[in-house]
Amino acid sequence: MGIFTSYRHQTAPLLAALLILPGARTLAAPYPAAAAVEQSARALLLQKAEKAGLEAPRISVKALPPRGFNAPPCPEPVRVVALDERAPSRMRLQARCDAAGWDAEFIVRAEISARVAVAARDIPARSLLDAGDIEWMERPVLDPADMVGAKTKLEGLSNRTALRQGQPLRLKALEASLLVKRGEEVRIVARNSGIEVVAAGEALGNGRQGEIIRVRNSATGKVIRARASQPGEVSPVD
């Protein structure tokens, strides 16, 4: 890994231990600022990967001190605060040592890879996705929050653009699928206490998963409000 320090996520308890910022831990003194910054950056990125449900994250970090930084080691745990954590490739963290009377802003360069959802085949745009459309492979991660991990629910989602086999899925490129199209015939299904009543209707608007649209009952002509629930099916909400 060259000048980078590496860490592989192993267990949830280990992650929980790392998420305690250096300022709250008992560390051997004197403690170098760069090591404290790298430890905090690594813990922060592990937290992001965990939140996104990314499996087996691999993280490399390198803390770059400001030009001319030559502060002495801190005789107490260094306090670290994240100033900008949006882009892992260029994070800004501040290290502070109250005992020695110094603080400094570090740039942190990080690289992340993890097992993420990729297209199991070539998938045309606007396809309704399901578990059979994806497989899990290790890929570089630029933004953990934008990757599809184990906690992501794909039901009712479709891809805005075509996907090539092996291409990672990105949350920003997914949207709720269009289940009902304006002008098409739909099933109006009302369920209550195990009883199901079905009627034919006409959608008066487009509806994605969970959206409420206007539907005309074909038998009575009455217009009702209904929620798009499945392809070609709505549930009354009035």
Side-chain angles (χ1 to χ4, degrees):
M1 300 301 294
I3 62 174
F4 289 94
T5 56
S6 301
Y7 182 87
R8 181 186 290 270
H9 176 47
Q10 298 291 342
T11 63
L14 181 56
L15 172 61
L18 282 173
L19 290 181
I20 304 173
L21 290 177
R25 300 183 66 190
T26 302
L27 301 173
Y31 198 73
V37 170
E38 289 179 354
Q39 180 177 328
S40 293
R42 188 179 298 112
L44 180 61
L45 293 173
L46 279 171
Q47 184 182 48
K48 288 177 178 289
E50 177 78 7
K51 183 177 180 179
L54 304 185
E55 298 180 337
R58 294 160 55 92
I59 299 174
S60 299
V61 297
K62 176 62 178 179
L64 306 175
R67 186 183 300 274
F69 179 75
N70 192 28
C74 188
E76 64 184 16
V78 177
R79 297 171 57 190
V80 179
V81 177
L83 302 178
D84 186 349
E85 59 188 73
R86 291 172 295 178
S89 60
R90 193 183 188 280
M91 303 166 63
R92 293 191 302 115
L93 282 78
Q94 182 187 61
R96 178 175 179 177
C97 178
D98 292 330
W102 58 258
D103 62 70
E105 181 178 315
F106 284 71
I107 299 297
V108 175
R109 306 289 190 187
E111 296 178 358
I112 310 173
S113 64
R115 285 174 57 83
V116 299
V118 303
R121 56 181 178 83
D122 291 344
I123 304 176
R126 310 293 180 181
S127 297
L128 185 62
L129 300 173
D130 59 34
D133 292 320
I134 67 170
E135 57 186 2
W136 302 91
M137 300 184 70
E138 184 171 348
R139 289 288 188 271
V141 175
L142 299 180
D143 179 5
D146 192 32
M147 306 304 291
V148 174
K151 296 181 180 180
T152 305
K153 297 184 181 299
L154 292 177
E155 293 82 356
L157 296 181
S158 63
N159 47 306
R160 291 193 180 96
T161 59
L163 293 169
R164 300 185 307 275
Q165 183 176 7
Q167 181 179 349
L169 276 65
R170 296 175 52 250
L171 293 177
K172 292 178 182 177
L174 302 180
E175 62 183 0
S177 298
L178 194 64
L179 301 182
V180 175
K181 296 181 180 179
R182 180 179 181 179
E184 76 174 4
E185 182 177 334
V186 296
R187 298 171 69 244
I188 304 172
V189 182
R191 297 180 177 89
N192 187 16
S193 302
I195 299 175
E196 181 177 285
V197 178
V198 180
E202 178 189 354
L204 301 182
N206 294 329
R208 301 184 187 278
Q209 180 76 41
E211 288 184 340
I212 297 176
I213 63 172
R214 295 167 66 243
V215 177
R216 179 182 290 112
N217 187 305
S218 299
T220 65
K222 181 180 179 180
V223 176
I224 65 171
R225 295 168 65 245
R227 190 185 311 276
S229 55
Q230 297 183 41
E233 181 177 303
V234 298
S235 301
V237 297
D238 291 335

